[in-house]
Amino acid sequence: MIESLEDLNEIAQKKLCAQGDCEDEIRVCIGSSCASLGSEDLSKEIAQKMEQEGLQKRCRVKGVGCNGLCSEAILVSHQKKGATSEDLYTNIEASQADDFIALLQNKKDLKEKLYDLQQAFFFKQKKIVLENAGYIDPNDIEDAIAHGAYQALFKVLDTMEPKDVLDEIKQSGLRGRGGGGYPTGLKWESVAKVHSDTKYIICNGDEGDPGAFMDRAVMEADPHKVLEGMSIAGFACGASQGFIYVRAEYPIAVEKLTKAIKQARKYGLLGKNIGESGFSFDIDIRLGGGAFVCGEATALIASIEGGRGNPRQKPPHLSDHGLFAQPTVLNNVETLANIAPIIQKGAEWFKNIGIPSSTGTKVFALTGHIKNTGLVEIPMGMSLRELVYDVGGGASGEKAIKAIQTGGPSGGCIPEEHLDISVDYDSLKKIGSIMGSGGLIVMDESSNMVEVARFFMDFCRSESCGKCVPCRVGTTELTDLLDKFVAKKASKSDYELLKNMCEVVKESSLCGLGQTAPNPVLSTLKYFEEEYLEGIADD
Amino acid sequence: MLPTNDDRYKMVEKTMKKLGYERSALIETLHTAQETFGYLEIDALKMIAKRLRLPYSKVYGVATFYHFFRLKPKGEHTVVVCTGTACYIKGANEILDKFEKKFGIKAGETTSDAFVSLLSARCVGSCSLAPVVIYDNKVAGKLTSQDALDKLEETLS
Ligand SMILES: Cc1cc2nc3c(=O)[nH]c(=O)nc-3n(C[C@H](O)[C@H](O)[C@H](O)COP(=O)(O)O)c2cc1C
Ligand code: SF4
Ligand code: FES
């Protein structure tokens, strides 16, 4: 049981000492991409062979979460004792356990697999949310504690009042990472203000954008960061119960979170009277069922309450009438993962990263026709060009990059000539896209923009919950219309109809799904109109 | 009706009990039921409705709302083609097309001999490996449509 900051530090010290006994550390990524290539078996096999060779005292092996360079899976890193940086080996096969034994015995080097850490992919990133990803063992709370977990929680419990926490978060300028960008401090304050015996903190881990996996990586690699952020939110807002709503399609994330919650309870970091402070907070997991609309706030709540995920009209807002009709804070995984670092290092530190209107960093999942696919965390305000060409390494194939897409089904396409804009909430919005939750898809000259727009519209059509007519009927009609353009059988009047219908769906749908469904069409119409015109048959 | 002494049913009962037989326990209960039975059979849905004191229509409505729930048993093999954005950009549709043609079924269906279920998913979270297909729970990535077909043969043989 951890009852005070001293107890926490003691565990951290003990763990660090125990780890210090070993000279080296080998870290095998067991994030989803690496795991799918068999990295867990590789990790076990290395450990086993080390024991056979009597090397277990010299080096320990651990499975860690994703460090981001998923395109080069499997990743294994080797940290020599006393070294400040690691040797990162990429494109390792699951059958290469012997090579690492030979490496430790200095019988072999793996130079051809060694990755150059001086590349822009690494040095242009700034890691806050992902600072521990790739370093700690997500199955071991003590490893997390040794890397600073729960320090911020004790700082809050020992030295701060709820109001101080609210001020700090407001000061930091943190905005919601789930897409909307609403200031987190203000959101918390509106719930803290309401008098109620029961309040809830919900973590949105639904990650519905099909082609994004930022939140998944955070939950899998550093689950305690999310739990700590939720506890601090609970303290600031006066809530004692939290829920994490996770997609059932993310079984590893569910497993890691479940384990983390169990361990945190055992160590007294969740539950009644945490650290003898009188503050109680507990967290439960609720599984989603694979419905994109359930990422929407009111639908998510309906789902936790056990019903169909139909959104409802707002107001009443969640701050008055949320889960089980009680005041509720809903935050995205990444938003919550920023909380502990802000409390620990201060709002001023956080504000110095990024730009004044969008502070801090943003995690992106780079995918599509780009060289370095994977996860990156960059300071806000970096230009899209830098993100795509330097960090992302540019196009993956021969063809030039044509456009990028951010914000998934609610976002828009940005043509290559606009890539000089800065990555922040307001700039992206101005140009017809959105920050979104962090999916960034790069498309080269081989991509047809009308087909891409159709892909997203079809997605919205199948995900529409059907509650309101403009979205239910509109997305179906729009998909059919786009089909005609793709088949090059549209007429001039179809073109007008397409534009009008987009406006209608956007203006009159009940929830965010319908309201933003036309965005991919509108933005491609704006920048790639000629591709639509090509779809009109001559008559 | 399912016999209440069926061991599998006890698992479902356990979930409901843990959540105090609240109506909000419905979705968690359905997850457990699907996990233990492999799919949601109508009898199980009826039983859950009774235990949670919910109208059957509500239980059925919820079970059919979420893609994750299956009301039919899966085939002997399951092949999931990811059709999320990253996979789509890298040609997932072509793979799905080929599979659909091969079996003469659409995504979401099972062959009439209950041998293969063909499913599509919206992003399985391994986008860096796009396009991705999951063959009987094993993820395979960076596939050309020929690779995908070859792996399919391997899985089914
Ligand atoms: C259709 C739809 C889907 C959404 N999906 C997600 C999601 O998967 N994850 C998420 O964090 N937010 C999602 N959101 C946004 C949430 O409703 C909510 O604004 C967000 O979780 C608030 O957290 P934040 O302030 O920390 O960003 C979605 C919104 C809509 C309208
Ligand atoms: S806009 Fe679409 S998803 Fe939202 S409530 Fe209406 S039908 Fe449902
Ligand atoms: S889009 Fe296929 S794994 Fe993400």
Side-chain angles (χ1 to χ4, degrees):
Chain A
M1 261 315 214
I2 297 176
E3 287 175 356
S4 63
L5 185 59
E6 287 74 48
D7 293 355
L8 187 75
N9 287 334
E10 197 178 316
I11 289 188
Q13 272 311 318
K14 253 200 207 142
K15 183 81 186 170
L16 288 173
C17 283
Q19 294 184 340
D21 285 349
C22 281
E23 291 181 7
D24 295 12
E25 179 168 274
I26 284 191
R27 295 186 281 262
V28 182
C29 176
I30 50 167
S32 27
S33 290
C34 288
S36 63
L37 299 177
S39 66
E40 279 180 280
D41 289 340
L42 173 67
S43 168
K44 278 188 203 130
E45 206 184 327
I46 296 180
Q48 238 172 29
K49 294 209 155 138
M50 264 185 203
E51 231 160 275
Q52 283 163 13
E53 299 285 324
L55 289 168
Q56 75 273 28
K57 282 241 157 62
R58 250 205 66 200
C59 179
R60 70 178 163 275
V61 185
K62 67 183 185 189
V64 296
C66 178
N67 95 340
L69 198 60
C70 310
S71 53
E72 312 292 324
I74 300 172
L75 303 176
V76 180
S77 58
H78 176 206
Q79 182 126 21
K80 296 196 187 102
K81 185 171 189 169
T84 46
S85 78
E86 57 185 16
D87 294 332
L88 176 66
Y89 298 97
T90 55
N91 293 305
I92 300 295
E93 316 259 330
S95 57
Q96 275 186 288
D98 284 327
D99 289 344
F100 285 92
I101 304 296
L103 182 78
L104 283 172
Q105 293 171 329
N106 290 323
K107 287 186 189 153
K108 190 171 180 176
D109 64 36
L110 284 169
K111 275 218 173 73
E112 72 287 356
K113 303 266 186 182
L114 197 60
Y115 196 83
D116 176 11
L117 293 174
Q118 299 311 316
Q119 296 198 30
F121 179 81
F122 285 103
F123 78 75
K124 289 218 170 172
Q125 290 196 51
K126 168 81 197 165
K127 298 205 174 178
I128 298 176
V129 171
L130 296 174
E131 61 183 347
N132 289 334
Y135 294 99
I136 65 166
D137 176 355
N139 292 316
D140 181 5
I141 189 171
E142 293 194 358
D143 203 17
I145 291 174
H147 283 80
Y150 298 104
Q151 291 283 338
L153 179 62
F154 274 95
K155 180 170 177 184
V156 164
L157 296 178
D158 291 347
T159 67
M160 295 170 92
E161 293 295 320
K163 187 176 171 307
D164 304 330
V165 179
L166 293 176
D167 285 344
E168 196 75 20
I169 300 299
K170 270 196 293 187
Q171 274 284 317
S172 74
L174 176 66
R175 295 171 69 174
R177 303 294 193 240
Y182 190 80
T184 307
L186 291 183
K187 188 184 268 190
W188 288 14
E189 194 174 51
S190 63
V191 169
K193 270 198 314 226
V194 184
H195 290 283
S196 169
D197 292 339
T198 316
K199 297 179 186 176
Y200 296 104
I201 308 292
I202 306 178
C203 168
N204 189 344
D206 197 42
E207 193 145 72
D209 176 356
F213 49 100
M214 303 75 48
D215 296 345
R216 170 183 190 154
V218 175
M219 294 186 282
E220 288 179 4
D222 196 1
H224 291 287
K225 228 192 199 68
V226 181
L227 305 187
E228 191 179 1
M230 290 178 75
S231 301
I232 295 173
F235 178 84
C237 302
S240 54
Q241 176 66 46
F243 289 98
I244 307 181
Y245 187 81
V246 201
R247 293 178 67 181
E249 289 91 333
Y250 283 0
I252 304 179
V254 174
E255 179 209 316
K256 300 286 182 254
L257 286 167
T258 309
K259 226 180 239 171
I261 291 174
K262 251 197 200 141
Q263 293 183 353
R265 282 184 190 146
K266 188 168 147 228
Y267 281 74
L269 297 164
L270 278 178
K272 292 227 154 49
N273 194 15
I274 298 170
E276 304 275 290
S277 64
F279 169 65
S280 301
F281 192 76
D282 208 347
I283 299 175
D284 281 307
I285 294 178
R286 288 293 176 269
L287 295 184
F292 175 59
V293 69
C294 286
E296 196 276 337
T298 58
L300 187 151
I301 280 171
S303 181
I304 296 186
E305 289 172 353
R308 290 165 67 98
N310 289 118
R312 64 160 171 80
Q313 197 99 38
K314 283 194 280 189
H317 288 286
L318 263 53
S319 51
D320 300 313
H321 193 97
L323 183 61
F324 302 122
Q326 302 297 335
T328 301
V329 169
L330 174 69
N331 273 137
N332 165 262
V333 172
E334 193 184 328
T335 313
L336 289 163
N338 271 297
I339 300 300
I342 292 176
I343 295 295
Q344 191 58 18
K345 299 186 184 152
E348 282 306 314
W349 162 80
F350 191 77
K351 262 182 10 194
N352 276 325
I353 303 163
I355 59 172
S357 62
S358 300
T359 53
T361 58
K362 180 78 195 83
V363 181
F364 283 96
L366 303 180
T367 55
H369 301 130
I370 187 165
K371 191 158 155 271
N372 301 330
T373 58
L375 273 194
V376 299
E377 181 170 357
I378 54 149
M380 299 264 194
M382 179 185 269
S383 79
L384 264 178
R385 192 174 296 285
E386 237 181 314
L387 173 56
V388 170
Y389 284 94
D390 294 349
V391 179
S396 55
E398 308 270 277
K399 293 203 172 74
I401 291 175
K402 177 174 176 183
I404 64 154
Q405 209 274 350
T406 63
S410 315
C413 291
I414 302 166
E416 135 80 40
E417 60 269 24
H418 282 283
L419 288 191
D420 287 311
I421 66 158
S422 123
V423 178
D424 63 76
Y425 292 98
D426 310 306
S427 306
L428 284 165
K429 197 161 178 185
K430 218 179 283 161
I431 167 167
S433 187
I434 55 169
M435 175 83 92
S437 56
L440 195 157
I441 290 136
V442 176
M443 291 167 282
D444 69 15
E445 296 286 350
S446 66
S447 311
N448 175 316
M449 293 321 216
V450 184
E451 278 179 31
V452 171
R454 198 209 91 93
F455 168 81
F456 284 118
M457 188 56 71
D458 189 45
F459 177 82
C460 290
R461 179 195 58 72
S462 77
E463 292 300 323
S464 165
C465 82
K467 180 168 174 169
C468 68
V469 176
C471 167
R472 183 180 69 229
V473 179
T475 52
T476 307
E477 290 289 317
L478 281 168
T479 309
D480 291 347
L481 270 175
L482 289 166
D483 272 338
K484 286 199 200 168
F485 283 90
V486 170
K488 301 202 187 306
K489 287 191 180 135
S491 66
K492 287 202 180 84
S493 62
D494 286 334
Y495 187 62
E496 289 311 311
L497 186 60
L498 181 73
K499 285 187 179 170
N500 286 337
M501 186 115 56
C502 279
E503 288 308 320
V504 171
V505 173
K506 190 174 163 166
E507 296 303 326
S508 55
S509 290
L510 173 63
C511 86
L513 191 151
Q515 288 159 9
T516 58
N519 285 358
V521 181
L522 291 171
S523 74
T524 43
L525 269 172
K526 181 165 164 193
Y527 297 115
F528 300 96
E529 194 186 13
E530 67 288 353
E531 293 188 27
Y532 283 89
L533 297 178
E534 280 164 21
I536 298 176
D538 302 320
D539 40 17
Chain B
M1 241 337 150
L2 276 166
T4 5
N5 56 5
D6 184 327
D7 264 352
R8 296 177 301 173
Y9 186 73
K10 284 193 191 138
M11 296 289 296
V12 181
E13 188 71 29
K14 209 171 115 194
T15 299
M16 292 191 280
K17 192 167 171 203
K18 193 178 90 194
L19 297 170
Y21 298 96
E22 294 280 343
R23 287 159 178 233
S24 60
L26 176 55
I27 293 179
E28 291 294 307
T29 309
L30 292 175
H31 276 293
T32 311
Q34 176 156 305
E35 222 167 86
T36 36
F37 293 99
Y39 72 105
L40 297 173
E41 40 185 311
I42 299 298
D43 280 350
L45 292 182
K46 286 189 175 151
M47 183 75 91
I48 292 168
K50 216 161 122 197
R51 299 295 286 148
L52 295 179
R53 284 165 291 116
L54 288 164
Y56 172 62
S57 58
K58 157 112 188 190
V59 175
Y60 186 81
V62 169
T64 48
F65 182 87
Y66 295 97
H67 306 287
F68 195 77
F69 295 131
R70 287 185 301 273
L71 273 66
K72 290 199 189 112
K74 273 204 277 193
E76 199 177 314
H77 293 283
T78 318
V79 180
V80 185
V81 181
C82 177
T83 52
T85 321
C87 292
Y88 167 77
I89 296 286
K90 293 270 180 94
N93 278 24
E94 204 182 310
I95 296 178
L96 187 60
D97 265 358
K98 290 222 158 109
F99 285 11
E100 286 182 341
K101 287 218 179 77
K102 184 171 166 76
F103 296 118
I105 53 173
K106 290 265 161 222
E109 295 174 352
T110 302
T111 51
S112 54
D113 57 359
F115 187 52
V116 184
S117 295
L118 179 61
L119 304 171
S120 66
R122 327 151 312 157
C123 188
V124 295
S126 303
C127 317
S128 330
L129 301 176
V132 172
V133 178
I134 306 178
Y135 300 92
D136 285 341
N137 291 327
K138 282 193 75 171
V139 179
K142 299 190 184 172
L143 300 165
T144 63
S145 50
Q146 191 53 47
D147 293 342
L149 282 169
D150 292 347
K151 283 237 164 53
L152 185 63
E153 292 297 330
E154 234 173 81
T155 309
L156 302 184
S157 63

